[in-house]
Amino acid sequence: MSHSVLKVPPSVIERMQSHYGPHMTSLSVQGAVFQAKPQGCTITAYRSGKVLFQGKNAEKEAERWAADTETPAAKKPASKKSIPSVYQPPEGIGSMSVIGSDEVGTGDYFGPITVACVYADKTKLPLLKELGVKDSKNLKDPQIVQIARDLIKTVPYSLLVLRNEKYNEMQEKGMSQGKMKALLHNQAIGNLLKKLDGTRPEAILIDQFAEPAVYFKHLAGKTAVKERTYFSTKAEGIHLSVAAASIIARYSFLTEMDKLSKQAGITLPKGAGPLVDEAGAKLIKKHGEGALRVFTKRHFANTQKAKRIASKR
């Protein structure tokens, strides 16, 4: 019997409980938070944060949550040894002409997923530094906005926005967030290569959210960009193209959040914490539960929390 184990934060355990609600069974395991039995798999979540998947569909169900092993502050570090050498960034990549790709919004209840990729020619790397390009996590929103506005006039880039209506539709059909991200990254990179019109980057660097084999498995049946493609966690620190992509993706996400807040008539906070639950309850009271399809990633545990809060008001 195949099995997989993930270590996830408490917020993901809550989302799992919501997702597997119809498949819950009575607890018979010491130290467990819940146990569920969807088709072909037994899932046991422990208070330690470890989640055990067992059965013929274990790998499939575990992969559904693989991207969520990240924490909001920083992505889960991965050892270079876990990445096949063919996909490890080559020595000296930091000074090469590279397409870098990154995404924003995967852990946010409100707002879309935005994926951007940037082509940074090595002759423009000093300019990018001068513009203030660095890991977007180390920049405040006003800085993101200013740098991004300069970037989009300076470097070739591609941007894709997966809005919530489409996200929810894909998720309800059984597509994992990891697969959505792989499809978006691949499409964005392909779009940028077309824009470059024959200019060939020395490398393509993707900020790693899945093992390369899993990433390319998600792209089965699609035209996958594979040549000179590399993966690394914390890739923003490896090449400025990824940092620039992260900034543009963040800028797009902030712009979309502003639009959604105006549409909702309330300020929609980022993230997936208690303030988000409160805002979700206000949204339900103001526009009805159906509005969640437009404004939120409905399968997050925040949906049930928001509904409980709204029902008491």
Side-chain angles (χ1 to χ4, degrees), residues 55-183:
K56 65 178 182 180
N57 290 335
E59 290 186 8
K60 178 181 176 182
E61 288 298 330
E63 192 282 322
R64 185 188 296 275
W65 304 97
D68 297 314
T69 57
E70 303 164 1
T71 63
K75 294 186 178 178
K76 182 180 178 183
S79 168
K80 266 194 171 185
K81 293 179 182 177
S82 69
I83 307 174
S85 59
V86 67
Y87 295 121
Q88 289 180 19
E91 293 294 328
I93 191 174
S95 59
M96 294 180 183
S97 298
V98 174
I99 286 179
S101 189
D102 202 358
E103 85 284 332
V104 171
T106 57
D108 293 88
Y109 181 56
F110 294 112
I113 293 177
T114 57
V115 172
C117 58
V118 164
Y119 175 61
D121 186 280
K122 56 190 172 187
T123 62
K124 288 195 173 181
L125 295 179
L127 175 58
L128 293 186
K129 287 183 181 178
E130 189 176 322
L131 291 176
V133 173
K134 57 183 176 180
D135 186 350
S136 66
K137 297 182 188 68
N138 298 324
L139 296 169
K140 295 182 178 179
D141 288 351
Q143 293 173 296
I144 293 281
V145 171
Q146 182 57 56
I147 296 170
R149 287 175 176 170
D150 290 335
L151 276 176
I152 60 179
K153 295 181 287 187
T154 306
V155 292
Y157 73 96
S158 175
L159 172 69
L160 293 175
V161 179
L162 179 61
R163 295 183 173 85
N164 293 311
E165 300 98 316
K166 186 64 176 177
Y167 176 95
N168 289 320
E169 179 186 330
M170 295 165 76
Q171 193 275 331
E172 287 162 8
K173 288 180 179 177
M175 186 178 294
S176 69
Q177 193 182 88
K179 181 166 184 174
M180 293 182 209
K181 291 196 287 186
L183 292 169

Side-chain angles (χ1 to χ4, degrees), residues 35-70:
Q35 191 169 64
K37 294 186 177 182
Q39 186 175 8
C41 186
T42 297
I43 302 166
T44 308
Y46 295 89
R47 284 191 285 271
S48 65
K50 288 186 178 180
V51 184
L52 173 63
F53 300 81
Q54 297 170 293
K56 65 178 182 180
N57 290 335
E59 290 186 8
K60 178 181 176 182
E61 288 298 330
E63 192 282 322
R64 185 188 296 275
W65 304 97
D68 297 314
T69 57
E70 303 164 1

